[in-house]
Amino acid sequence: MTSPADPHTRTWSHINGSSQDVLDRYAVTELCKGWPVYRDASEWKNYRSLFTDDACVWTTWSSDLPVDEFIQVSKEGKKNGVFIMHRECGTLAELGDSRTRAIGKMKATITHRFSEGGVAYDVDCDCRFIFFCEKQTATQEWKAKYVKLFYEKDKVVPVDGQTVPKWDKCELSTYPEGYRHLAMAQAKLGYKIDVNLPTPHDKGLWKRMYGEMENWLEGREVDLHWA
């Protein structure tokens, strides 16, 4: 479970405020929702428009990739039958004091369909997408420079209501709690899993992620590339 302690050290513009603040936060939340809407539907031009030229994204199965490479491997995965969908469950945004940076927080469920030994099943993973966004000087448009997720809990869901694969518990335990079932199933497809993603069960990475979010909002450099 998550800690009862507030992970933020202060608050930023997140509700109410001036009309411009409300419009900026709305633009950021609209941008965040483009991930599930556009990626799931393979609307790649619309999806690419969400990001800066040099954007980088992280997932369990891709680790960190420049967004153009991520789009390419996503296309290849879909061509090979990889079936990943996203259910958006609520999105809010925080504006930095300069009003040129923002953090978008999108609660979502990743649902990935698998088939193993003739058994079809889904792995559902509850997570929070964190969008590190910046307002472009020339256009005044909001774009995402980084996207990284908190992975909070996951489960195996039988498609027929009763049948799921049997996995070795020792092997399963080698993956982080929060996304270990998703990681196990994706590893069986040949993906190299990133095991250094923040979960509420790893307080070090959890706190580090919040620290980088605050660095971003306060205009400082951020480091999201964790070995």
Side-chain angles (χ1 to χ4, degrees):
M1 66 179 65
T2 57
S3 168
D6 191 332
H8 273 311
T9 61
R10 53 159 291 194
T11 61
W12 287 265
S13 172
H14 63 288
I15 57 171
N16 300 317
S18 69
S19 296
Q20 187 59 53
D21 278 5
V22 172
L23 286 172
D24 280 330
R25 292 198 309 267
Y26 180 82
V28 172
T29 60
E30 186 178 52
L31 180 156
C32 297
K33 295 175 187 180
W35 185 296
V37 172
Y38 298 143
R39 187 186 182 281
D40 290 2
S42 298
E43 295 182 17
W44 301 116
K45 289 185 288 296
N46 284 341
Y47 181 75
R48 183 62 182 87
S49 72
L50 306 174
F51 300 94
T52 62
D53 291 342
D54 58 348
C56 184
V57 302
W58 283 256
T59 71
T60 54
W61 58 270
S62 69
S63 191
D64 55 319
L65 283 179
V67 66
D68 290 308
E69 290 184 32
F70 180 75
I71 289 172
Q72 187 56 43
V73 296
S74 296
K75 289 179 178 180
E76 292 169 1
K78 288 193 174 198
K79 184 178 180 179
N80 293 327
V82 175
F83 188 14
I84 304 174
M85 304 293 282
H86 305 80
R87 293 190 291 266
E88 187 259 339
C89 304
T91 304
L92 288 173
E94 295 167 332
L95 296 178
D97 294 336
S98 69
R99 299 307 193 261
T100 59
R101 284 186 173 188
I103 290 287
K105 301 175 176 178
M106 183 177 75
K107 289 179 65 67
T109 298
I110 300 167
T111 178
H112 191 158
R113 174 64 54 88
F114 299 92
S115 181
E116 185 176 333
V119 175
Y121 63 96
D122 288 341
V123 178
D124 287 359
C125 183
D126 293 331
C127 58
R128 283 182 295 147
F129 281 73
I130 305 300
F131 291 77
F132 293 72
C133 302
E134 57 186 14
K135 200 171 193 178
Q136 307 302 290
T137 302
T139 64
Q140 295 297 291
E141 294 179 343
W142 286 96
K143 301 286 183 180
K145 186 174 179 66
Y146 306 112
V147 181
K148 197 165 190 173
L149 286 68
F150 288 104
Y151 294 87
E152 293 171 319
K153 65 181 178 70
D154 66 342
K155 63 183 178 182
V156 179
V157 181
V159 172
D160 65 5
Q162 57 184 353
T163 311
V164 294
K166 295 185 183 298
W167 291 337
D168 181 82
K169 290 185 178 180
C170 290
E171 184 180 357
L172 188 63
S173 69
T174 63
Y175 298 106
E177 186 177 357
Y179 60 99
R180 62 176 37 150
H181 300 88
L182 181 62
M184 180 88 160
Q186 289 176 335
K188 288 180 177 294
L189 295 180
Y191 290 113
K192 182 179 180 181
I193 303 302
D194 188 338
V195 296
N196 293 302
L197 298 170
T199 79
H201 314 282
D202 184 329
K203 300 307 181 186
L205 294 181
W206 180 270
K207 290 179 180 179
R208 183 172 183 179
M209 182 72 160
Y210 268 100
E212 297 299 351
M213 292 158 65
E214 295 198 352
N215 284 338
W216 182 258
L217 288 170
E218 293 180 354
R220 296 191 290 266
E221 292 295 319
V222 298
D223 179 13
L224 296 172
H225 298 274
W226 309 337

